[in-house]
Amino acid sequence: MDEKYVIHLVPHTHYDAIWVFTKEDYFYINIDIILKAVIKIMEKSKDYKFLIEQTYLLEEIERRYPRLFDKIKKYIKEGRIEVADGEYLMADTMLPQEETLIREILIGKKYLKEKFNLDIEVMWQADSFGLNAQLPQIYRKCGYKYLAFRRGSPENKPSEFLWEGLDKTRILTHFMPLGYRAGLDFKKLEKNFHILKELAATNHILMPSGSGVTMPQPNTEKVVKKWNKTHKNSKMIISTSKDFFKKLEESAKNLPIRKGEMYSGRYSEVFPDVASSRIWIKKSLRKYENWLNTFERFSTIKFLIDNHYPEEIYECWKKLLFLAFHDVAPGTGVDEVYEEVKQNIKFLKQQLTTLTPKVLKAITSKGSQKEDIIVYNPFPWDSKDWVEVDLNFEESQIKSIGTLECEGEKIDIEILKETRHADGSIKSARIGFIAEAPPLGYRTYKILERGWRKGKNGIKVLDNTIRNRFFELSYSPKNGLIKVKMDGEEILKGNEIILEEEIGDLYNHKEGLKEVLKRESSSGIKYGAFKVKDIRIGGSDLRKVLEIKVDYYSLRWPYRLTKKWKPRIWRHKSLACTKKIIIYRDIPRIDFEIKLENKHPRTRIRVLFETPFTNPTYNSETQFGAITRKTDQYYFAAEDWKEKPSGTSPSLRWIAYEENGKGVALLNLGNPEHEIRDGNIYLTLLRSVDLLSTDGKAGPIIPVPDAMEFKEYTFKYSIYPYNGNWKESKVYKMGYEFNYGLIGLQLDNRAYKTSESFLEIRPDNIILTALKRSEERDHIIMRFYEAAGKNTKACLRFFKKPKSVEIVNMLEEKDEEFDKEIIMDGESIKLSMDPFEIVTLKLEF
C-alpha cells in the first residue's frame, strides 16, 4: 500500500447503565468525573473530540445539569462531540424480541433529533454479546449507514467488510480486532498500530481510545503531535467514527461480503452462557414484551375507533427498554443493581394490569345478543388455542356451567376450579376450552348450563398411553419420562431433568466432572437420586394432563448396589419439582410446565429430549427470521480461540430439528438457551452461580448470592412434532401462538357483537410485529416481515379503509431506498415481499 496510513484515534467512553456499580454510581462517574472533564479539555484544546453513545445518559444530564447539557449541545453542534450508536440504551441484540431492538433506536434517535437536530449514521456496538443476523436490515432501515462492533466476528481480516442480512440488505461494517481499547494505552500505540494495519482493508485505521467508564486523557493532543513528528509513513488524527467511515466508504465496493450472525468466539468473547444467567430477567423480559406488544396493538385499534390512545404506552416502553440493556438482559451485574429492574417490572405489571382490560372493553362492539365470555386474538390470522377464563357470579345467577355456545356451535369446556354460594349456585369458577378467534379481533361465547360432548376425534387414554389425532405419547410408570410417536414412528423421548456441575460464573458455564451430577434415568454420581412421589393423569375430554411429582435428594442410602438394595433413607432435598405434560384434543403441540423450587448450589439444570436425528444442522428463530446453526459444537476444538464454543446458543421463540421429512420444534417462553448434541435437544432452565466472575477476566470477582437461584420458578415450554420441514409446518406461527396466546375475559351482562376482525394479513408467513400510533401522533404505523424465507405476495385488510398508505423506514420517515409498489384494493393493501424482508407502513385513516 503506497498511501500513508491515517490513524483515526477516537476518544470515547463506554457507558454502562448498571453493571458492577449502581445506576446512580454510573451517573456520578460518567457525568461528574468523565463528561465534565471532557468539557474542560475541549475548552483548552480546539482539536480534541469525544464520542458519546447512549441517550439515557444525555437525558439525565439534561434533567440534572442543564449548564453541562448546554455545553455538550454546543460541542455537538461544532462536531467535536460525536454521538454514535444513538440508542436509548445499548441493547443486547440476541435476547430481546424484534420490536424492542427497534424501539431502543427509535426512542433514542427521536430524542437526539429533537434536542440536537442530529441524524445518527454510525451504529457503535461497543459491548453487546454478539449480533443477530438481521441487524444489517434493522440498522439500515433505522437510518444507519455504518456499523462498528466489538464482539462476535468469525473473521478479522480484513477488519472492514459489507455485512449482509437475511434479506440481502448490506451495511458498511468495521470489526474492532483489538476491541474498543486499541488506542487507550498510549504506550501500546505502536504495537497496536502494526497489528491493526495488517488487518485493515484500506490505509485508514480506526483506533478507539477509551473503555468502560474511563476518564478522558488530557495529553491526547500531545501524544498525537509526537506521533506525527516521529512517523513518516503514518499520520494520526483525533477523529470521529463517522469521519473514519466516510474515508472507508471510498473503497466500499472492493470490500468482501459476509453473511449470517456475528456470534463467534474466535476473536472475542460473546458469552453464550449468559442466556441462562439470572433466568428471572429473561422470563420477565419475554413476558412484558409479549404483553406490551399485545396491549399496544389493541390500543391502536382503539385509536382508530375513538381517536384516544393511552399515553402510558411511551413510559412503559422506556421501562421495558431498560430490561433489554446489554448488562441487564444477560444478567451479568452485581445483585444490588437489579433492584432498579424489579421496580421497572413492578411498574409494567401495574400499568398493564390496569389498562389492558379497559382497552379491550373499549374496542368491543355492542350487539343484539347477551354474551358471557369474550376471547381476543392478537394475531392477524385465525387462531385456535387453549384459553382459561376466570368467572364470577351473583348468588342464584347460575347453578352450573355445562358448555359454551358460539354462533350456534357447542364448545366443550373443562372446569378447573369452582366455588359456590350458600344456596348452591356458582360463586366463582375457572374454566378452560379450545377457543377460535378471527384475525386481530375477538369472538364471544355464551354459557349454557346443560353440558354437551363432542364425542368424535377425541383424546384417548389406554394404560400409560395418551393418543390424539396428531401423535401418541406414552410415559414410564416408574419415572414419568415420555416417548412420542408420530405415524407409528418414535420421534422423541425424554423430558428428563439433568443436573450438571456448575463451577462457572454469570458469564460462563464451567464443569469439572466428565459426567452429569444426575439424570432422572439414574446415571450420574452415586450419592444423589431423584425420587418419584406421584404420577397421575387428570384433565378432560379436551386435554389430558400428566402430572409427575419428583424430588431430588443429594443423599440417599444405600448409595451403592442400588439395583440390589432399595434406598431406605433420603436426606437433603435439593429440588422439589412438579412436572405437567399437557396433550390437547385439537392442538398439535405438547405443552410442558415445570414448577421447581431449587436449593441445589452450583448447578446447571436442563431438560433433555432425545431424538433419532443425526442432522449436523438445525434451524433457530432469530429476530425477523430464522438461521441455520451447527449441532455438536460442544466438541469443537478451538484452542486458539478467545472463547471455546460451549455448545449452547440463545434462540428467540423456537428451534427446529428435522430429518427425512419429520421434525421436532422446541418452543420456549423466556428460556432461550439450548443445545443440540448427539441428536439430543437440551433446554436450560437455570444456572446456579455464586460469583460474577471466577477469574477476574470478564469482570471483578464479586459474590452474587441472588444468582444462586434459590427460588421457586415455573417454566413453560412446548414441543411441536411435525411432518415435512419447519417452513411447511409453519413452526414460526406455533412459536408466536405459544408465546402470546389468546386472551379470555368475562363480559358484563349486556349484549355484544358475536365476532369482529380488525386486521387480517395473508398469507400467514407474513408476521405482524408492530401496530402503533406514529410518533407524529396522527398516523398509524404497521410493521411486518416475511418469516419463511420465500418471495411472497402479501395482502393486508383493515376493518376500515385507509385514506393513504406509504412505505417508511423504521424511524417512520420516507426513505426512497426502501420504497416499493403498494396496490390499494378497497380496504386491502397488496405488496410483494422478499425473503425475510421487513416492511414498515405509515397509514392515514
Side-chain angles (χ1 to χ4, degrees), residues 6-47:
V6 180
I7 304 166
H8 295 259
L9 192 75
V10 180
H12 75 97
T13 186
H14 171 55
Y15 170 62
D16 287 315
I18 60 171
W19 181 40
V20 293
F21 292 112
T22 66
K23 183 180 76 170
E24 286 300 319
D25 288 336
Y26 279 118
F27 279 150
Y28 170 69
I29 293 169
N30 282 278
I31 300 171
D32 286 270
I33 297 178
I34 296 175
L35 289 180
K36 286 183 179 180
V38 167
I39 297 301
K40 287 183 179 179
I41 295 173
M42 288 192 165
E43 288 171 343
K44 295 179 181 179
S45 170
K46 294 182 179 180
D47 294 328

Side-chain angles (χ1 to χ4, degrees), residues 256-362:
I257 299 167
R258 295 178 190 161
K259 304 177 183 181
E261 59 186 352
M262 296 292 144
Y263 203 64
S264 168
R266 185 169 186 175
Y267 298 107
S268 56
E269 298 91 342
V270 294
F271 307 119
D273 299 315
V274 303
S276 55
S277 299
R278 300 189 190 271
I279 200 64
W280 66 270
I281 299 177
K282 281 76 169 172
K283 288 167 60 64
S284 298
L285 176 62
R286 181 70 61 83
K287 175 181 178 178
Y288 289 102
E289 283 178 314
N290 293 347
W291 196 346
L292 183 53
N293 274 306
T294 298
F295 174 66
E296 182 180 67
R297 203 166 285 188
F298 285 113
S299 296
T300 306
I301 299 300
K302 179 181 181 297
F303 177 65
L304 289 174
I305 294 171
D306 63 14
N307 205 36
H308 288 91
Y309 193 74
E311 298 298 333
E312 296 89 345
I313 287 179
Y314 191 74
E315 192 60 30
C316 284
W317 270 111
K318 291 177 80 172
K319 297 295 185 184
L320 183 71
L321 297 183
F322 192 87
L323 271 65
F325 176 66
H326 70 273
D327 279 313
V328 174
T332 46
V334 296
D335 286 354
E336 52 265 39
V337 304
Y338 293 104
E339 290 305 312
E340 179 84 13
V341 178
K342 292 174 183 176
Q343 289 302 313
N344 285 7
I345 291 171
K346 184 178 180 181
F347 176 89
L348 287 166
K349 183 178 181 179
Q350 289 174 339
Q351 291 291 325
L352 294 175
T353 299
T354 302
L355 294 171
T356 302
K358 293 180 181 179
V359 165
L360 293 176
K361 182 178 179 181

Side-chain angles (χ1 to χ4, degrees), residues 426-442:
I426 296 177
K427 180 179 182 181
S428 67
R430 184 175 183 85
I431 67 168
F433 62 101
I434 295 174
E436 294 186 58
L440 198 59
Y442 62 81

Side-chain angles (χ1 to χ4, degrees), residues 23-24 27-28 31 59-66:
K23 183 180 76 170
E24 286 300 319
F27 279 150
Y28 170 69
I31 300 171
E59 193 176 61
E60 195 65 21
I61 295 170
E62 181 186 22
R63 187 175 70 86
R64 297 189 186 192
Y65 301 91

Side-chain angles (χ1 to χ4, degrees), residues 7 114 117 130 157 186 245 260 304 358 367 406 522 531 556-557 620 643 682 703:
I7 304 166
E114 290 175 353
N117 195 30
K157 186 174 183 178
F186 291 155
F245 277 111
L304 289 174
K358 293 180 181 179
C406 177
S522 291
K531 181 181 182 181
R556 51 117 189 243
W557 181 87
S620 174
E643 176 185 72
Y682 295 84

Side-chain angles (χ1 to χ4, degrees), residues 573-842:
K573 186 166 72 174
S574 300
L575 295 178
C577 178
T578 299
K579 297 197 290 186
K580 289 183 179 179
I581 303 165
I582 306 165
I583 303 97
Y584 304 95
R585 186 180 70 189
D586 298 316
I587 301 173
R589 69 171 194 254
I590 308 167
D591 289 349
F592 299 83
E593 180 182 292
I594 292 183
K595 290 186 178 180
L596 191 68
E597 183 180 359
N598 179 48
K599 295 180 181 178
H600 198 303
R602 304 179 74 182
T603 184
R604 178 168 70 173
I605 304 176
R606 301 205 283 181
V607 174
L608 168 68
F609 291 99
E610 298 179 47
T611 79
F613 307 143
T614 58
N615 195 334
T617 63
Y618 70 101
N619 295 287
S620 174
E621 187 188 35
T622 189
Q623 290 77 1
F624 294 110
I627 56 172
T628 300
R629 286 187 176 134
K630 295 179 180 178
T631 65
D632 299 306
Q633 292 300 288
Y634 177 82
Y635 301 117
F636 185 77
E639 289 78 11
D640 58 337
W641 285 35
K642 285 276 188 179
E643 176 185 72
K644 182 184 182 300
S646 67
T648 64
S649 300
S651 69
L652 205 53
R653 287 167 287 261
W654 57 266
I655 61 170
Y657 193 38
E658 59 194 36
E659 191 173 66
N660 299 327
K662 291 191 183 296
V664 171
L666 172 63
L667 318 177
N668 80 77
L669 191 58
N671 282 84
E673 185 179 288
H674 65 276
E675 179 184 7
I676 298 183
R677 186 199 307 179
D678 300 327
N680 301 329
I681 302 173
Y682 295 84
L683 177 70
T684 306
L685 301 182
L686 61 82
R687 288 194 307 122
S688 171
V689 301
D690 55 10
L691 290 173
L692 186 144
S693 172
T694 57
D695 55 14
K697 292 181 180 179
I701 303 172
I702 298 175
V704 285
D706 185 64
M708 294 287 284
E709 299 286 29
F710 292 165
K711 303 180 178 75
E712 293 183 13
Y713 278 115
T714 298
F715 300 104
K716 295 182 179 181
Y717 51 96
S718 186
I719 288 290
Y720 171 40
Y722 59 87
N723 286 305
N725 59 46
W726 68 269
K727 296 180 181 181
E728 298 165 345
S729 305
K730 301 180 180 181
V731 171
Y732 47 84
K733 271 186 65 179
M734 197 64 72
Y736 271 96
E737 290 184 343
F738 179 67
N739 266 258
Y740 285 75
L742 303 178
I743 305 166
L745 297 174
Q746 183 178 15
L747 289 169
D748 52 27
N749 191 28
R750 287 185 288 179
Y752 288 96
K753 190 174 179 179
T754 305
S755 67
E756 191 162 6
S757 173
F758 299 106
L759 170 65
E760 181 178 9
I761 303 179
R762 299 191 310 270
D764 50 18
N765 59 308
I766 305 299
I767 305 291
L768 179 72
T769 63
L771 186 64
K772 64 183 286 288
R773 187 180 67 178
S774 70
E775 298 301 304
E776 296 174 350
R777 306 171 74 88
D778 54 359
H779 290 79
I780 296 301
I781 296 296
M782 181 180 180
R783 188 161 24 255
F784 47 93
Y785 74 101
E786 195 287 312
K790 62 183 181 180
N791 292 305
T792 302
K793 293 187 183 297
C795 180
L796 303 79
R797 182 196 58 79
F798 273 93
F799 70 108
K800 58 192 297 187
K801 184 179 179 180
K803 295 177 182 178
S804 65
V805 182
E806 64 175 340
I807 302 279
V808 293
N809 62 21
M810 293 175 182
L811 300 179
E812 304 176 11
E813 303 165 340
K814 188 69 176 176
D815 192 330
E816 297 296 334
E817 181 180 354
F818 303 111
D819 203 7
K820 58 174 31 199
E821 183 184 14
I822 300 175
I823 299 173
M824 296 290 295
D825 184 7
E827 295 174 356
S828 296
I829 303 166
K830 298 179 179 179
L831 68 159
S832 296
M833 295 188 65
D834 295 329
F836 298 124
E837 181 183 9
I838 311 164
V839 171
T840 306
L841 299 182
K842 180 189 283 188

